[in-house]
């Protein structure tokens, strides 16, 4: 079996870490030739790296673990009978039951790395304790007056969400773009301050970009979650924790779908039990790139129905909006209908373009992209150029490959240079758009922030970035934190952002990276226009492919 596992590593299905972890765990066992332990350990590591918090043994039992079954010459791993597999793991000295302190935890049909089982347990306990407390001290007359003033139609879901957030110390508000999540939270803050003007309120988001967008709306200081909790250099621990909780009465987290299991568990531990905790997000968007589907699990937990409010009325898009119709159809997994909407002349705000070859990007696509950038580059003022650049964005489903971000950025740069629109003499050049990839709290530049390199008044290159107050900040390029060229960006990186027009580029071959959630997230970045370039086969396969991450959080919250 070890030879097969190493073969799957060599063809880049398993990682080096998966193999090292599995062999190390087996070496700690009292049976160092335990093949079923080796299999369980490598799969636990592998699925956790793909975003699951555990491996579902029942789902894999008596099947072949083989994600790329169409490729000839790749060996497969056959999983044993479920009862036989569980019985073998229960005998192992390195596999424990819930409550044990062992490298692996077997909880019913789920096999966990210990720390992820612990994260789920801690998070579920923190949420359930808050839900059992339920109501908090409220002046109902003041609340009723505030709701009547802020929500004339008190039967709408925004009013229900606001009332729930005031009356309970745990609340989730989930809704798609344009359903009024952020405007609702502004009114919630107003209602809370009417109850107590001295309330200490913290607003945070998982990324600097999302935190900045939140600050633009609520007009008060916001944090990244890491900054709120107090990151420690070179450590996964924070200054705030169960024994040193945050000094806030209300903690509001935006873009909660992007928060992974580990971070959400640490956040939950840090919030005082007497404080209100409000989560905002879209449960149908992409989950975090790390392990967990926290927002989705919480929203679907049966015991939390009173604490979860879904906003389903759209205030941004009209009844004839193709963007809204397309997003809803993709969310429902209706691939054929989604494609027909893209092709229909009934919806001028969405459009479909076919691609056919992986050898090069379609000429019309490159011409359209170059035309857009050439128009922007005619503008000399940094604030105007950034404003134009932020209106349109190319979103790629993948980072690598002929239709990935790296290839697209390189091709666009080549075409702009060939047409004499840019002069690339070094890493930085006049007109180069860049995106920050690592937070720098000293410079107040965050992962996802987009700026542009231009010649300043002194004819020297400077990097210009917008700030939440609408002003433009300039930096010397060599002072910037890690960054990359960003004519195009991945859909993952676009989360927390909105653009007037979005061009989505899909690969010509299906990849496990593609999913319904990915397509939905890309579409919902657009406010006015969406254009999708791809093959019908790949698009439909992506819409039909729903992310299936294994997790026990929903079950723990529903028990």
């Amino acid at each position: 079996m070890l030879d097969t596992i190493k073969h799957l590593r060599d063809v880049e299905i398993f990682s080096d870490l998966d193999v090292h972890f599995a062999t190390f765990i087996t070496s700690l066992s009292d049976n160092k030739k335990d093949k079923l332990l080796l299999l369980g350990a490598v799969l636990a590591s592998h699925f956790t790296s793909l975003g699951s918090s555990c491996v579902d043994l029942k789902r894999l039992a008596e099947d072949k673990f083989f994600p790329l079954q169409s490729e000839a010459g790749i060996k497969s791993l056959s999983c044993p009978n479920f009862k036989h597999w569980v019985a073998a793991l229960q005998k192992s000295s390195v596999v424990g039951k819930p409550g044990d302190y062992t490298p692996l935890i077997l909880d019913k049909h789920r096999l966990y790395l210990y720390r992820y089982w612990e994260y789920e347990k801690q998070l579920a306990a923190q949420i359930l304790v808050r839900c059992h407390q339920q109501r908090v001290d409220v002046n109902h007359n003041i609340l009723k007056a505030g709701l009547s003033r802020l929500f004339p139609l008190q039967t709408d879901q925004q009013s229900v969400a606001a009332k729930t957030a005031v009356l309970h110390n745990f609340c989730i508000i989930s809704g798609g773009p344009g359903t009024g999540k952020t405007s609702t939270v502004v009114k919630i803050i107003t209602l809370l301050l009417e109850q107590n003007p001295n309330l200490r309120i913290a607003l945070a988001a998982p990324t600097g970009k999302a935190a900045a967008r939140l600050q633009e709306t609520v007009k008060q200081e916001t944090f990244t979650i890491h900054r709120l909790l107090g990151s420690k250099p070179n450590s996964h621990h924070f200054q705030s924790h169960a024994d040193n909780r945050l000094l806030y009465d209300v903690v509001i987290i935006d873009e909660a779908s992007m928060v992974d299991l580990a971070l959400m568990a640490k956040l939950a531990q840090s919030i005082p039990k007497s404080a209100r905790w409000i989560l905002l997000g879209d449960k149908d968007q992409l989950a975090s790139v790390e392990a967990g589907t926290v927002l989705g699990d919480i929203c679907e937990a049966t015991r939390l129905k009173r604490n979860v409010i879904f906003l389903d009325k759209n205030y941004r898009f009209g009844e004839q909006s193709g963007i809204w119709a397309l997003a809803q159809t993709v969310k429902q997994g209706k691939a054929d209908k989604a494609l027909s909407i893209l092709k229909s002349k009934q919806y001028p705000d969405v459009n479909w373009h076919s691609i056919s070859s992986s050898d090069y990007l379609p000429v019309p696509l490159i011409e359209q992209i170059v035309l857009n950038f050439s128009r922007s580059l005619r503008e000399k003022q940094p604030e105007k150029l950034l404003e134009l650049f932020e209106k349109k964005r190319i979103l790629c489903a993948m980072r690598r490959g002929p239709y990935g971000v790296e290839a697209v950025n390189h091709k666009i740069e080549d075409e702009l240079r060939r047409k004499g629109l840019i002069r690339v003499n070094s890493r930085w050049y006049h007109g180069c758009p860049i995106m920050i990839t690592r937070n720098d709290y000293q410079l107040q530049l965050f992962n996802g922030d987009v700026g542009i390199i231009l010649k300043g008044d002194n004819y020297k290159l400077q990097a210009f970035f917008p700030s939440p107050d609408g002003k433009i900040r300039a930096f010397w390029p060599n002072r910037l934190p890690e960054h990359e060229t960003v004519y195009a960006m991945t859909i993952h990186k676009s989360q927390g952002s909105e653009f007037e027009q979005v061009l989505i580029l899909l690969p010509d071959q299906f990849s496990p990276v593609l999913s319904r959630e990915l397509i939905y997230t890309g579409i919902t970045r657009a406010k006015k226009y969406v254009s999708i370039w791809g093959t019908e086969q790949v698009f439909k396969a992506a819409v039909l492919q729903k992310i299936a991450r294994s997790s026990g959080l929903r079950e723990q919250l529903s028990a």
Side-chain angles (χ1 to χ4, degrees), residues 335 339 343 352-355 534-542:
L339 191 61
K343 292 181 174 182
W352 170 261
H353 292 272
S354 292
I355 60 174
T535 70
E536 293 185 14
Q537 181 181 5
V538 168
F539 175 78
K540 290 195 287 187

Side-chain angles (χ1 to χ4, degrees), residues 189 191-193 195-201 249-250 276:
I189 292 171
L191 293 170
L192 290 172
L193 291 174
Q195 293 286 325
N196 180 0
N198 299 315
L199 280 177
R200 296 163 296 182
I201 301 175
D249 305 302
V250 182
R276 288 178 176 86

Side-chain angles (χ1 to χ4, degrees), residues 6-27:
K6 288 181 176 179
H7 166 77
L8 293 175
R9 175 201 58 192
D10 293 341
V11 296
E12 299 183 346
I13 292 175
F14 290 140
S15 67
D16 286 335
L17 179 61
D18 296 336
V19 178
H20 286 311
F21 175 78
T23 53
F24 174 68
I25 290 297
T26 308
S27 73

Side-chain angles (χ1 to χ4, degrees), residues 56-199:
D56 189 330
L57 302 181
K58 186 175 288 186
R59 183 184 296 173
L60 293 178
E62 298 183 46
D63 201 354
K64 291 184 177 181
F65 171 72
F66 195 27
L68 303 174
Q69 295 190 18
S70 61
E71 295 194 15
I74 298 181
K75 298 178 182 177
S76 62
L77 281 174
S78 295
C79 296
N81 169 273
F82 173 66
K83 290 184 178 179
H84 179 54
W85 200 356
V86 167
L89 291 172
Q90 287 173 335
K91 294 177 183 176
S92 174
S93 58
V94 294
V95 179
K97 60 183 182 298
D100 291 341
Y101 187 65
T102 51
L104 295 172
I105 297 293
L106 181 60
D107 189 349
K108 299 176 182 175
H109 54 94
R110 300 183 180 95
L111 183 66
Y112 290 84
L113 306 183
Y114 175 82
R115 68 179 180 276
Y116 286 101
W117 177 83
E118 183 73 7
Y119 287 145
E120 278 195 0
K121 174 191 170 187
Q122 289 175 352
L123 179 56
Q126 290 290 331
I127 291 173
L128 289 174
V129 112
R130 292 171 185 280
C131 292
H132 289 151
Q133 292 174 354
Q134 287 298 332
R135 297 183 180 274
V136 290
D137 291 335
V138 168
N139 184 315
H140 289 272
N141 291 330
I142 292 176
L143 175 59
K144 184 177 179 180
L147 288 170
S148 297
R149 185 182 74 257
L150 297 173
F151 303 96
L153 299 175
Q154 290 197 37
T155 55
D156 69 24
Q157 288 302 97
Q158 289 188 10
S159 174
V160 174
K163 185 176 181 180
T164 302
V166 174
L167 290 176
H168 300 82
N169 67 351
F170 181 69
C171 174
I172 305 235
I173 303 172
S174 176
T179 54
K181 295 188 297 295
T182 311
S183 61
T184 300
V185 88
V186 171
K187 294 177 182 179
I188 289 171
I189 292 171
T190 301
L191 293 170
L192 290 172
L193 291 174
E194 288 177 351
Q195 293 286 325
N196 180 0
N198 299 315
L199 280 177

Side-chain angles (χ1 to χ4, degrees), residues 43-57 59-60 109-112 116 120 256-264 282-298 300 492 495 512-518 521 545-555:
L43 291 176
S45 175
H46 175 71
F47 278 100
T48 301
S49 70
L50 293 180
S52 292
S53 58
C54 57
V55 55
D56 189 330
L57 302 181
R59 183 184 296 173
L60 293 178
H109 54 94
R110 300 183 180 95
L111 183 66
Y112 290 84
Y116 286 101
E120 278 195 0
S257 64
M258 299 167 64
V259 186
D260 62 85
L261 173 64
L263 184 57
M264 193 72 88
D282 183 349
K283 73 178 183 64
D284 297 304
Q285 268 191 202
L286 281 167
S288 165
V289 294
E290 304 296 334
T293 52
V294 179
L295 187 66
D297 286 341
I298 296 174
E300 295 176 16
H492 273 93
Q495 283 185 273
V513 171
L514 300 177
S515 68
R516 180 182 309 173
E517 293 83 354
L518 187 81
T521 301
Q545 174 86 359
K546 186 170 176 58
I547 292 176
R549 291 185 173 184
S550 295
S551 164
L553 181 60
R554 186 187 314 169
E555 185 174 302

